[in-house]
């Protein structure tokens, strides 16, 4: 599925819709260049889960846990991960196979430990279509999320 957004608000709203329809145990991988809108999308997902606290990228902590919504939300940012052992040290499989949803920014950096049953989200810019234009490609077993 491909969705085109023309503003940060539209990207946020897409994330919110996904969050509203998310199910326990789902894993979302999120890939895109710096500044493409991954955090805006993630903030939307959190809003869709009824999480009201501020959402920011956990770049230095690897994972941020949010328990205040309708289900736990585990937001990973693996941009600074040195090797897979760091993921093992934080007990990633407890998150991946728990009762909440996981969203993993820069997921391509930990491809070898990701489960096959996941929803992949790729955000791309196309400056020829405008500064705020985003092409969002959603792939995976659960394509019916929208």
């Amino acid at each position: 599925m491909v969705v085109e957004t023309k503003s940060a608000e539209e990207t946020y709203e897409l994330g919110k819709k996904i969050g509203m329809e998310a199910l326990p145990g789902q894993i979302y991988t999120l890939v895109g260049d710096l500044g493409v809108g991954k955090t805006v999308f993630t903030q939307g997902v959190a809003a869709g889960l009824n999480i009201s606290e501020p959402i920011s990228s956990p770049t230095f902590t690897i994972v941020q846990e949010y328990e205040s919504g309708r289900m736990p939300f585990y937001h990973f940012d693996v941009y600074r991960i040195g090797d897979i052992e760091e993921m093992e040290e934080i007990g990633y499989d407890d998150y991946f196979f728990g009762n909440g949803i996981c969203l993993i920014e820069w997921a391509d950096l930990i491809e070898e430990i990701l489960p096959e049953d996941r929803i992949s989200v790729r955000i791309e810019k196309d400056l020829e279509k405008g500064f705020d234009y985003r092409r969002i490609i959603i792939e995976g077993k659960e394509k019916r999320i929208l």
Side-chain angles (χ1 to χ4, degrees):
M1 164 187 308
V2 176
V3 179
E4 295 179 330
T5 64
K6 295 173 180 63
S7 68
E9 293 79 16
E10 287 182 14
T11 300
Y12 176 92
E13 287 301 320
L14 175 62
K16 185 175 180 180
K17 183 166 180 59
I18 287 172
M20 290 170 65
E21 298 180 10
L23 300 172
Q26 287 181 322
I27 297 174
Y28 295 83
T29 60
L30 186 53
V31 176
D33 292 336
L34 282 169
V36 80
K38 292 184 298 297
T39 300
V40 169
F41 179 86
T42 302
Q43 290 167 338
V45 171
L49 292 168
N50 297 323
I51 296 169
S52 57
E53 59 191 287
I55 306 295
S56 60
S57 253
T59 302
F60 295 101
T61 59
I62 300 175
V63 64
Q64 181 69 45
E65 300 178 35
Y66 300 93
E67 303 280 343
S68 64
R70 65 179 177 85
M71 75 179 89
F73 178 46
Y74 308 118
H75 178 202
F76 288 80
D77 183 331
V78 298
Y79 182 74
R80 298 194 187 283
I81 204 103
D83 60 47
I84 295 303
E85 287 180 20
E86 287 181 61
M87 291 296 290
E88 292 170 2
E89 288 170 11
I90 65 166
Y92 76 90
D93 45 353
D94 290 336
Y95 296 104
F96 284 16
F97 304 107
N99 61 352
I101 74 160
C102 293
L103 188 144
I104 307 157
E105 293 188 44
W106 301 100
D108 51 333
L109 299 175
I110 59 165
E111 183 75 31
E112 62 265 30
I113 63 169
L114 294 173
E116 286 185 32
D117 187 18
R118 63 183 185 257
I119 300 163
S120 300
V121 179
R122 175 175 298 278
I123 303 177
E124 302 171 344
K125 287 189 208 182
D126 184 344
L127 293 177
E128 290 181 11
K129 293 186 177 187
F131 181 76
D132 292 322
Y133 171 87
R134 299 295 184 266
R135 181 172 188 254
I136 302 170
I137 301 109
I138 303 169
E139 299 176 312
K141 192 173 181 182
E142 299 290 333
K143 288 182 187 174
R144 67 187 183 287
I145 59 175
L146 298 173

